[in-house]
Every structure is written in structure tokens, then in C-alpha cells.
Amino acid sequence: MSGKKYADALKKYDRDQFYGPADAVRIAKGTATSKFDENLDVVFRLGVDPRKADQMVRGTVALPSGTGKDVKVAVFAAGEAADAAREAGADLVGGDDLAATVEGGEMDFDIAIATPDMMPLVGRLGRVLGPRGLMPNPKTGTVTTDVGKAVEEFKGGKVEYRTDRYGNVHVRLGRAAFDQEQLDANFRAVLDEIQRAKPASAKGRYIKKITVSATMGPGVRVDINRLKPEAD
């Protein structure tokens, strides 16, 4: 977004004000004026210390309205599991051959799934997959014996999330072209999941800040006092 377009977007709302979730989504959606189809994203600032293993917030959430993106899925599997992955629509399926492709630097996929028996092989790819957030993990349902179901879920709008080193969780809500109801439904699903995932060891206020924005637009702040109460 050009400087002028960004400035115009800022005129559409009061940056110093906090908005209810639906209003924040509506305003952020209205700032998406680029020629390409922008995404709408939400960032949660959490009161956790990601350096402590018991305060790492990580998991998956199924977006009821989907992501609006054609998600490419790679599956490390063999035999019947590989057949099930292909039938479910996986884009890449393999074992040693797929590992060799990844080691060679070709990672044209958004999600990697593996059967448990493939993890010794996949584990050797950690230095390549890890930094890109593509390492399969049981906590996110990407290490599973039912790879067919996992492929269908991620293709259908299931997304991963995890805290970064600053305690932020970034999740895509969908395309800015989605209607208001679709985006609201996705926001509620993400909020419910983040609240559900609150670590028992987290002290003080858990959700400290929420910002919604279009890909090229400014952030719109959500009034966290207007959210439903956090569970103790």
C-alpha cells in the first residue's frame, strides 16, 4: 500500500480508540483497498513467557469459514497411509524421495504431515523444516496415523498457531473479500481456541492486546474488556 493509501486508511477510523471485535473486523476489512485480494489477520499479545516450555501456546484451530487459500499439503507416509493421503487430496506424498526433495531446498507446501513411523526420517529434516514452522508435531495433529483425516482438515480450513519469542500469536482470519459474518465466525473460533489454550502456569492477564489488520492496512485495536471473561 502506498503512503497515500495508508494515510487514507487511517482516516477511516480513530487509531487511538479500542473497538468491539465485530467493529474491528469491519474497519480492518474496509482498509483493504489494494488491487490484489488482501488477507485479514489477527495478532494476540499474550501474557506468557515463551522461553518456558509450560507457557508455549501452540495448537490448531478449525476456521468455520475456511482461509480462502488453496493450502498445499505434503505427507510423509508409506503404504496404505500414503494411499489415504493421496485420496484425501494431499499435494505431495512420499518417504525418502520426499525427504530428498526437501533437503534439496524444494518446499512448495504450507503444511507437512507425517505418520509416527516416518518421524525418524522427518526428524533429520528439522534444521530445514523447523525454521519455516513446517515440522510435524503431535500437538498440532500433524503427526498422526489418520493422515487422510488430517489432510482433509487442513485443506478445509484448519490452521496452526504458536507464540513467537515475544509472546505474540499471529493467525489468518481469511480473505478481506469474505463477508462480515464469515470473518466474525473465524474471529470467534480463534478467540475461543486461544482462551482454551491458556497455560495453567500463566499468571496475570492472559490476553493483553489484540490487533486486526488487512495485509497492507494499519492495525485496528480490539477492546479486550469487551471479550467474554477468560477462564481461570
Side-chain angles (χ1 to χ4, degrees), residues 26-44:
R26 175 182 55 77
I27 293 168
K29 174 178 167 64
T31 67
T33 57
S34 297
K35 293 182 179 179
F36 68 93
D37 191 5
E38 296 185 51
N39 295 312
L40 224 62
D41 303 290
V42 60
V43 178
F44 293 80

Side-chain angles (χ1 to χ4, degrees), residues 5 34 46 54 69 73 76 80 83 85 92 101 110 127 131 134 138 142 163 169 172 177 179 201 211 229:
K5 286 186 177 181
S34 297
L46 303 181
D54 62 350
K69 179 182 179 182
V73 179
F76 293 88
E80 293 183 0
D83 292 338
L92 297 168
T101 298
D110 305 296
R127 61 183 178 80
L134 294 172
T142 48
T163 46
V169 172
R172 177 171 296 171
D179 62 37
S201 59
T211 305

Side-chain angles (χ1 to χ4, degrees), residues 19-29 40 212-213 220-223:
Y19 297 87
D23 286 336
V25 168
R26 175 182 55 77
I27 293 168
K29 174 178 167 64
L40 224 62
V212 181
S213 64
V220 182
R221 298 190 290 183
V222 175
D223 185 353

